[in-house]
């Protein structure tokens, strides 16, 4: 097997004295869609935050294990280097957009660390506005005036404007009306077909497994099941615990 793009090896992390992940292992291959599913508090967001290595106080602290990118450890790498050099972007739950700036300004800020020329950046603006015509229509509007679903699109748009090739999404379906959810997942599918690697965490396990190639189930900080999505959807335990029987 070729070296995975991301490999999480025996990862233990803590918040203060509380251990939240107890030795998890998983991989994400180039061009794959991988999902982590699990109940509230299982450790899904903690896993993504560990990979993105957000600065304290938000970030959990890695106490054992490793995070590899193309076979090299990236533990301790600054979060801005993870975005700029490894092209990995996290779209966190709760969106973290700048409400008092316009849609256009929010997208522009995301490009600040890019090393490519304006041609690539302009191509990505076009891509974002084509994927999400609502953002195009509202580009002069302040972000705080957007609906929840539109803000979610803007959060994804910002990740794309950072020039990412790997996108980590924390609950992109959260609070979205069904039509917007459809738009969001259609956009993600298109991006994946163009080569984007996606690591998705979702409470809606049905949705996540239908969308992803492979999945891992996390339960209280441990991986308890893994496999191709269609196999996981057939697994009686997974069905009972996460897919509503
Ligand atoms: P949710 O869908 O509710 O976000 P999750 O699977 O993403 O669930 P995490 O948010 O990763 O779960 O939480 C994993 C564990 O770590 C939980 O027991 C949670 O209470 C704990 N935890 C999360 N954030 C912190 C923090 N900042 N300080 C202390 N404990 C935390």
């Amino acid at each position: 097997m070729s070296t995975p793009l991301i490999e999480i090896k025996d990862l233990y992390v803590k918040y203060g004295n509380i251990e939240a992940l107890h030795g998890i292992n998983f991989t994400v291959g180039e061009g794959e869609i991988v999902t982590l599913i699990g109940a509230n508090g299982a450790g899904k967001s903690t896993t993504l935050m560990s990979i993105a290595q957000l600065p304290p106080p938000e970030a959990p602290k890695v106490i054992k294990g490793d995070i590899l990118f193309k076979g090299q450890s990236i533990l301790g790498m600054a979060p801005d280097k993870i975005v700029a050099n490894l092209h990995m972007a996290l779209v966190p739950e709760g969106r973290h957009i700048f409400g008092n700036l316009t849609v256009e300004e929010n997208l522009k800020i995301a490009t600040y660390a890019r090393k490519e020329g304006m041609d690539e950046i302009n191509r990505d603006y076009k891509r974002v506005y084509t994927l999400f015509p609502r953002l195009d229509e509202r580009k002069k509007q302040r972000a705080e005036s957007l609906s929840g679903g539109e803000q979610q699109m803007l959060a994804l748009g910002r990740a794309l404007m950072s020039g990412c090739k790997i996108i980590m999404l924390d609950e992109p379906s959260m609070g979205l009306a069904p039509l917007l959810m459809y738009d969001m997942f259609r956009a993600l599918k298109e991006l994946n077909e163009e080569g984007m690697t996606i690591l998705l965490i979702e409470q809606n396990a049905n949705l996540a497994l239908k969308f992803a190639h492979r999945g891992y189930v996390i339960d209280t900080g441990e991986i308890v099941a893994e496999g191709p999505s269609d196999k996981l959807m057939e697994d009686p335990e997974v069905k009972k615990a996460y897919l509503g029987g």
Side-chain angles (χ1 to χ4, degrees):
M1 216 183 86
S2 60
T3 310
L5 206 51
I6 303 172
E7 182 171 8
I8 306 301
K9 276 173 100 166
D10 197 28
L11 192 70
Y12 288 74
V13 312
K14 276 185 170 179
Y15 292 102
N17 290 326
I18 303 163
E19 192 175 287
L21 299 178
H22 319 297
I24 65 165
N25 290 282
F26 69 89
T27 60
V28 183
E30 191 156 6
E32 265 197 310
I33 305 176
V34 172
T35 186
L36 306 178
I37 60 170
N40 252 328
K44 304 181 299 297
S45 302
T46 299
T47 304
L48 291 199
M49 287 195 289
S50 303
I51 300 173
Q53 304 190 51
L54 300 180
E58 283 168 272
K61 187 170 162 43
V62 174
I63 51 164
K64 189 173 167 230
D66 212 345
I67 301 170
L68 307 179
F69 181 83
K70 295 187 176 170
Q72 304 286 320
S73 177
I74 57 165
L75 271 189
M77 187 179 265
D80 57 332
K81 295 277 180 297
I82 291 188
V83 179
N85 298 351
L86 309 184
H87 304 289
M88 288 210 277
L90 171 65
V91 181
E93 196 179 348
R95 291 146 205 168
H96 296 265
I97 56 172
F98 299 107
N100 56 346
L101 300 184
T102 64
V103 166
E104 211 168 33
E105 289 163 344
N106 267 278
L107 293 178
K108 188 169 178 198
I109 281 182
T111 66
Y112 83 98
R114 289 184 65 165
K115 300 181 179 93
E116 305 104 308
M118 274 321 284
D119 283 357
E120 280 88 349
I121 293 175
N122 284 334
R123 185 201 59 209
D124 286 347
Y125 277 122
K126 213 167 154 196
R127 187 75 193 101
V128 169
Y129 288 136
T130 312
L131 275 175
F132 299 119
R134 277 162 188 268
L135 295 183
D136 196 9
E137 288 156 22
R138 291 162 177 71
K139 61 183 165 202
K140 302 283 180 208
Q141 243 172 267
R142 278 154 75 106
E144 65 198 0
S145 70
L146 300 178
S147 73
E150 289 159 358
Q151 289 186 13
Q152 191 72 294
M153 290 172 180
L154 180 56
L156 176 56
R158 282 207 333 187
L160 298 177
M161 290 314 301
S162 76
C164 70
K165 299 192 170 72
I166 305 157
I167 197 156
M168 301 189 279
L169 297 145
D170 193 341
E171 307 262 1
S173 74
M174 179 79 94
L176 296 195
L179 261 184
L180 285 188
M181 191 151 92
Y182 174 82
D183 278 352
M184 173 64 73
F185 277 82
R186 178 193 44 76
L188 291 172
K189 194 94 198 166
E190 271 184 41
L191 289 168
N192 175 251
E193 283 162 6
E194 292 163 10
M196 183 76 74
T197 304
I198 298 178
L199 176 57
L200 165 74
I201 68 175
E202 257 299 331
Q203 271 203 55
N204 185 338
N206 271 303
L207 175 71
L209 288 174
K210 278 185 194 135
F211 177 68
H213 304 125
R214 287 193 302 121
Y216 294 85
V217 181
I218 302 199
D219 184 12
T220 49
E222 290 179 50
I223 306 265
V224 294
E226 62 182 90
S229 299
D230 50 352
K231 292 273 184 327
L232 279 179
M233 280 190 280
E234 297 293 304
D235 180 320
E237 295 290 322
V238 174
K239 264 186 172 166
K240 196 168 100 198
Y242 302 101
L243 305 175

